[in-house]
């Protein structure tokens, strides 16, 4: 591994990353959307069941979000924001999953089994997952519930999925070698990519779907990197189609 | 979030104003920049298209601009209704469309995807002989997968009631002629391993970005998932190719935190540019 090349790439990636982060929130907030189709919403509610995500449970009646753009100054009118509770639950699960992945990478960085080059990848990918979580925070953190008794609730911040952390943590900190550790990270990335595909098939809200569509390719590329470092056969990490087979099922990780 | 809502709103307003100022006058500027007679250096043209400087090859030919023509070529001729895919710079969303328009847009997006897949198959088959063994093996696999993607899109179009758009060179199940024209230079340069790799990176980049971008124009979650079941694989193709381009530098294989859409084949602002400037 050429350390100078790695540093150069990391710097460039960081610059590109900042550029992407600069435009992402504006992109996410520029549009507003129509109400969801009732039949599809009902179907997604059946899919999600009664998922509650630890600190991220959402109970929202009349959801609203400030719609930006078009009006100069900070007096933007409040208009209805389309995501229904089922969409918000799913998006908040993705938010929590990103926090979980970032935490897992943090644990991985603390181990001593990786080469400096592999550790560089860990730091880069952890940064990506933090950025994904931040994007969800920007997007969902503005969603407010209806005022009840003089108090207006907001979407609770997501937290790492504890049961997943409990399962992954010992595998990471106890990994006897780099290959074992990278295998865990690969499983997280494959699971994340599959989860976003699962979400895309269920999210009704266009803005949330766009967000998932911008993150899925990145998790997919993460999976390729770990697969190649592990020298996994190409047919194992390059199927013709992304599937949901490895997805983290929201219902299984309900808090 | 540590920012208050007011602070965030001001920040986002500032970003939006900056973006609008950047975009103002782009069509005229781009017409000049992409005029073959203008002698504007390729690096400048790439930068004007918003290309990351490190990957200038990815935007050779101004894919963002010509992409509009690709979409146009995949839209059935308007009969009783007009699909808002050739407007003057406004983003198209499904929110203001009738059900019939949304169905038409769904078909258009799928056809765009199919035309890109067909182009990838055609080009990989044409240039694989100029690649070294490692790249040739990869491109052979990619071509097979792009063929599968094309077939799945064809099936989806048929299942949605779409009919083949038979209009000579603009047949939607053929490599899109506008994109083919846009890629004339990198295709001409794909005579050795470096040129083939550059072409492959362009093809995979535009494919992945198009699927990501077009998610917003698909009205059904199932269609969005179908599109990204392919788009995610194009992203993997990119990572594999970037690994070949810069071996032993894994961070270069997944450099961005979010999938970009700058080089996507998209509807909108550039139709006029394509029509009058190319």
């Amino acid at each position: 591994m050429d350390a100078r090349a790695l540093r150069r790439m990391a710097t460039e990636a960081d610059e590109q990353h900042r550029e992407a982060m600069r435009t992402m929130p504006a992109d996410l907030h520029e549009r507003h959307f129509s109400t969801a189709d009732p039949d599809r919403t009902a179907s997604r509610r059946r899919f999600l069941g009664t998922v509650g995500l630890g600190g991220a449970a959402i109970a929202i009646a009349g959801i609203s979000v400030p719609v930006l753009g078009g009006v100069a100054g900070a007096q933007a009118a409040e208009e209805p924001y389309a995501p229904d509770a089922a969409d918000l639950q799913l998006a908040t699960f993705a938010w929590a999953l990103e926090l979980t992945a970032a935490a897992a990478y943090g644990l991985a960085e603390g181990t001593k089994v990786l080469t400096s080059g592999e550790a560089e990848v860990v730091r880069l990918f952890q940064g990506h997952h933090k950025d994904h979580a931040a994007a969800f925070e920007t997007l969902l953190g503005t969603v407010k519930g209806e005022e009840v008794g003089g108090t207006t609730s907001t979407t609770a911040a997501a937290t790492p999925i504890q049961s997943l952390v409990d399962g992954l943590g010992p595998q990471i900190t106890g990994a006897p070698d780099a290959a074992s550790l990278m295998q865990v990270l690969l499983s997280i990335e494959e699971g994340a990519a599959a989860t976003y595909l699962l979400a895309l098939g269920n999210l009704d809200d266009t803005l949330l779907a766009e967000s998932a569509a911008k993150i899925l390719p990145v998790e997919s590329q993460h999976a390729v990197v770990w697969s190649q470092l592990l020298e996994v056969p190409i047919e194992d990490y390059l199927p013709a189609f992304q599937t949901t087979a490895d997805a983290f099922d929201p219902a299984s990780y309900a808090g | 979030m540590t920012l208050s809502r007011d602070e965030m709103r001001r920040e986002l307003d500032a970003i939006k104003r900056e973006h609008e100022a950047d975009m103002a006058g782009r069509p005229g500027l781009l017409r000049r920049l992409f005029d073959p007679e203008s002698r504007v250096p390729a690096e400048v043209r790439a930068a004007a298209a918003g290309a990351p400087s490190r990957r200038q090859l990815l935007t050779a030919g101004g894919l963002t601009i010509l992409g509009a023509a690709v979409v146009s070529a995949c839209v059935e001729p308007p009969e009783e209704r007009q699909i808002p895919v050739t407007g003057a710079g406004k983003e198209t969303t499904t929110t203001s469309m009738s059900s019939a328009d949304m169905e038409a847009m769904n078909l258009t997006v799928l056809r765009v995807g199919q035309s890109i897949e067909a182009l990838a198959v055609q080009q990989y088959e044409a240039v694989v002989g100029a690649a070294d063994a490692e790249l040739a093996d990869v491109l052979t696999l990619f071509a097979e997968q792009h063929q599968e993607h094309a077939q799945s899109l064809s099936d989806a179009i048929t299942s949605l009631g779409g009919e083949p758009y038979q209009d000579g060179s603009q047949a939607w199940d053929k490599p899109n002629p506008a994109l083919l024209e846009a890629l004339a230079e990198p295709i001409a340069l794909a005579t050795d391993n470096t040129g083939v790799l550059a072409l492959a990176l362009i093809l995979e980049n535009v494919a992945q970005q198009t699927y990501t971008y077009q998610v917003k124009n698909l009205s059904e979650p199932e269609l969005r998932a179908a599109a990204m079941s392919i788009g995610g694989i194009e992203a993997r193709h990119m990572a594999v190719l970037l690994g070949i381009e810069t071996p032993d530098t894994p961070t270069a294989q997944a450099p961005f935190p979010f999938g970009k859409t700058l080089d996507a084949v998209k509807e909108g602002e550039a139709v006029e540019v394509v029509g009058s400037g190319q």
Side-chain angles (χ1 to χ4, degrees):
Chain A
M1 185 70 64
D2 183 333
R4 280 183 303 178
L6 263 178
R7 277 196 296 276
R8 188 173 64 251
M9 289 309 307
T11 301
E12 289 182 9
D14 186 51
E15 289 168 357
Q16 292 158 347
H17 163 173
R18 280 198 296 272
E19 187 275 338
M21 282 302 289
R22 186 181 70 81
T23 58
M24 179 94 175
D27 193 38
L28 291 176
H29 284 266
E30 270 184 340
R31 290 180 291 276
H32 53 94
F33 303 93
S34 64
T35 53
D37 178 270
D39 292 339
R40 256 193 336 253
T41 301
S43 169
R44 284 176 300 112
R45 286 199 174 115
R46 283 194 295 276
F47 161 74
L48 283 165
T50 53
V51 175
L53 295 169
I58 302 165
I60 295 171
I63 299 163
S64 65
V65 68
V67 177
L68 301 172
V71 180
Q75 302 301 316
E78 299 239 340
E79 294 184 18
Y81 183 44
D84 61 18
D87 272 2
L88 288 170
Q89 281 186 328
L90 196 48
T92 307
F93 178 74
W95 180 4
L97 184 58
E98 293 294 350
L99 292 171
T100 305
Y105 273 99
L107 290 174
E109 191 183 1
T111 66
K112 304 297 181 189
V113 298
L114 299 174
T115 65
S116 61
E118 291 160 351
E120 193 79 18
V121 175
V122 163
R123 285 189 286 277
L124 178 66
F125 291 0
Q126 184 191 35
H128 289 176
H129 289 297
K130 286 181 176 177
D131 291 340
H132 301 165
F136 280 118
E137 182 176 6
T138 301
L139 184 60
L140 302 180
T142 63
V143 175
K144 297 180 76 87
E146 215 169 46
E147 184 173 311
V148 178
T151 303
T152 303
S153 61
T154 57
T155 303
T159 56
I161 303 166
Q162 195 56 50
S163 57
L164 198 50
V165 172
D166 291 344
L168 294 171
Q171 295 180 50
I172 293 170
T173 56
D177 50 38
S180 302
L181 177 52
M182 289 191 289
Q183 189 64 50
V184 178
L185 300 176
L186 171 59
S187 70
I188 293 172
E189 300 295 355
E190 288 288 13
T195 302
Y196 280 105
L197 188 67
L198 184 73
L200 277 159
N202 288 277
L203 286 168
D204 193 52
D205 179 71
T206 310
L207 184 55
L208 293 175
E210 282 182 73
S211 302
K214 288 185 176 182
I215 297 174
L216 187 155
V218 177
E219 319 293 43
S220 301
Q221 293 185 329
H222 291 176
V224 169
V225 169
W226 289 127
S227 295
Q228 291 193 337
L229 287 170
L230 283 163
E231 300 183 355
V232 171
I234 192 169
E235 59 268 22
D236 288 355
Y237 63 85
L238 202 57
F241 298 91
Q242 174 69 51
T243 74
T244 60
D246 295 325
F248 296 108
D249 181 357
S252 299
Y253 292 100
Chain B
M1 282 299 278
T2 54
L3 287 175
S4 72
R5 286 181 57 202
D6 283 347
E7 287 172 322
M8 186 174 72
R9 186 179 298 147
R10 280 194 294 275
E11 179 69 18
L12 291 174
D13 276 346
I15 291 169
K16 184 171 185 295
R17 284 194 298 274
E18 184 181 331
H19 173 71
E20 287 171 348
D22 182 51
M23 293 302 291
R26 260 201 163 196
L29 172 64
L30 290 170
R31 183 182 295 114
R32 291 194 298 276
L33 286 171
F34 290 98
D35 181 348
E37 301 301 318
S38 69
R39 298 182 183 177
V40 176
E43 293 82 0
V44 176
R45 283 185 280 168
S53 59
R54 192 175 154 272
R55 303 262 179 234
Q56 287 167 352
L57 277 176
L58 295 183
T59 54
L63 292 178
T64 302
I65 310 309
L66 290 163
V70 183
V71 175
S72 298
C74 295
V75 177
E76 290 184 29
E79 294 174 355
E80 296 178 356
R81 59 176 180 261
Q82 177 142 3
I83 304 164
V85 295
T86 56
K90 291 288 184 186
E91 293 247 355
T92 302
T93 68
T94 58
T95 53
S96 59
M97 302 171 88
S98 69
S99 176
D101 284 345
M102 283 194 284
E103 290 171 12
M105 179 60 95
N106 289 338
L107 288 171
T108 296
V109 170
L110 297 177
R111 287 168 178 158
V112 168
Q114 190 178 7
S115 72
I116 294 173
E117 300 293 348
L119 180 65
V121 172
Q122 178 201 58
Q123 290 305 311
Y124 286 157
E125 289 177 347
V127 303
V128 67
D132 66 18
E134 179 193 20
L135 183 57
D137 285 348
V138 164
L139 295 187
T140 300
L141 174 62
F142 287 7
E144 292 171 3
Q145 295 186 331
H146 286 299
Q147 185 61 56
E148 290 186 60
H149 299 167
Q151 185 58 53
S152 75
L153 290 164
S154 176
D155 293 344
I157 291 165
T158 303
S159 71
L160 291 173
E163 295 178 0
Y165 171 32
Q166 299 293 347
D167 185 20
S169 63
Q170 291 193 334
W172 56 270
D173 60 346
K174 302 292 190 299
N176 190 284
L179 190 53
L180 192 58
E181 185 181 338
L183 295 178
E185 185 177 341
I187 288 171
L189 293 173
T191 55
D192 58 17
N193 203 62
T194 302
V196 172
L197 180 57
L199 175 62
L201 280 164
I202 293 171
L203 288 167
E204 299 298 344
N205 183 53
V206 73
Q208 180 262 302
Q209 294 202 20
T210 299
Y211 288 112
T212 296
Y213 175 86
Q214 293 293 351
V215 157
K216 69 179 181 183
N217 285 327
L218 292 166
S219 65
E220 303 298 322
E222 293 83 359
L223 292 177
R224 296 170 185 163
M228 288 311 298
S229 74
I230 298 173
I233 299 305
E234 319 297 38
R236 291 182 188 233
H237 288 179
M238 279 288 292
V240 170
L241 293 171
L242 290 169
I244 293 172
E245 185 188 46
T246 52
D248 301 323
T249 313
T251 49
Q253 293 177 260
F256 302 113
F258 298 101
K260 289 182 171 292
T261 58
L262 192 66
D263 292 328
V265 173
K266 58 186 74 167
E267 74 289 353
E269 70 268 16
V271 170
E272 181 190 353
V273 176
V274 173
S276 61
Q278 297 291 325

